Amino acid sequence: RSGVAATEFALMVPAMLMVWVGMVVAPAALTADKKVTLLTRTLADMTTQMQAVSQADMDSIFQATEAVLWPQPAERIGMRVSSFDIDGSGKVFVDWSVVPTNSALRGDFTALARCSTSNLVPVGLRTARTSIVQAEVNMRYQASVATQVVDEVFKGAASGGEMPLGDRLFMRSRQA
């Protein structure tokens, strides 16, 4: 008789853990992914509204967009904004590329070399004699609870309880 409760508990724990992951951990990860997408859109949108961009301007934008991620910590994100020029033959060159001067917001990104050719712009966006701005954001999402459960559920996609999230957005400049 005393073993029946323990057996029922052992049978129900995996199912209850999956329900818990589905109700708590997965929506939090999806929310973080949506915030990364929103942050990417905000970076591109704010940049394309400016006529000229300096490092100081971009650092202000990078700092302002930190609020988009709240309550996620900014130390887990990386941001880069680049502008590409497309010449008359459709060849793409890096016009400028910036990362935050605050290394906590840079992540793994480095600025792209100016005047170098690039294949980052999709062929469908390569309109001759135009330019396009690209915003990139990466985030190392870590579940606030049950890191071990997340590791087991997302085998191969997570490392140490972290899931890599990221987004890239191209947008045409509206002011220059």
Side-chain angles (χ1 to χ4, degrees):
R1 284 186 175 187
S2 62
V4 171
T7 303
E8 287 177 358
F9 179 75
L11 292 173
M12 290 304 296
V13 166
M16 295 305 289
L17 281 175
M18 292 306 292
V19 168
W20 178 73
V21 166
M23 290 177 56
V24 177
V25 177
L30 291 172
T31 300
D33 187 48
K34 293 285 185 196
K35 285 184 179 249
V36 166
T37 299
L38 180 60
L39 176 60
T40 307
R41 168 84 169 122
T42 303
L43 271 175
D45 189 37
M46 292 176 76
T47 304
T48 58
Q49 291 183 38
M50 303 177 78
Q51 287 185 346
V53 180
S54 69
Q55 181 69 50
D57 294 331
M58 288 308 300
D59 279 335
S60 295
I61 291 172
F62 288 132
Q63 286 298 121
T65 54
E66 251 186 282
V68 173
L69 276 180
W70 188 86
Q72 297 296 326
E75 307 86 52
R76 294 191 185 135
I77 64 172
M79 297 183 273
R80 175 172 57 194
V81 178
S82 304
S83 177
F84 299 97
D85 281 335
I86 300 128
D87 68 7
S89 64
K91 197 169 186 181
V92 180
F93 295 93
V94 177
D95 184 22
W96 54 263
S97 180
V98 293
V99 293
T101 55
N102 178 354
S103 60
L105 301 177
R106 191 175 303 149
D108 297 332
F109 287 117
T110 57
L112 300 174
R114 189 172 194 279
C115 296
S116 61
T117 58
S118 176
N119 292 326
L120 294 175
V121 178
V123 175
L125 296 176
R126 295 182 187 182
T127 304
R129 295 183 184 84
T130 62
S131 65
I132 193 163
V133 172
Q134 172 191 333
E136 297 173 274
V137 175
N138 286 337
M139 178 179 173
R140 296 178 331 271
Y141 174 75
Q142 188 168 17
S144 58
V145 292
T147 301
Q148 302 299 337
V149 174
V150 172
D151 272 346
E152 287 300 315
V153 172
F154 299 105
K155 278 190 191 299
S159 171
E162 291 183 350
M163 290 183 282
L165 304 175
D167 205 353
R168 174 187 301 178
L169 178 71
F170 293 94
M171 192 176 283
R172 300 254 181 232
S173 180
R174 294 181 262 171
Q175 296 292 324

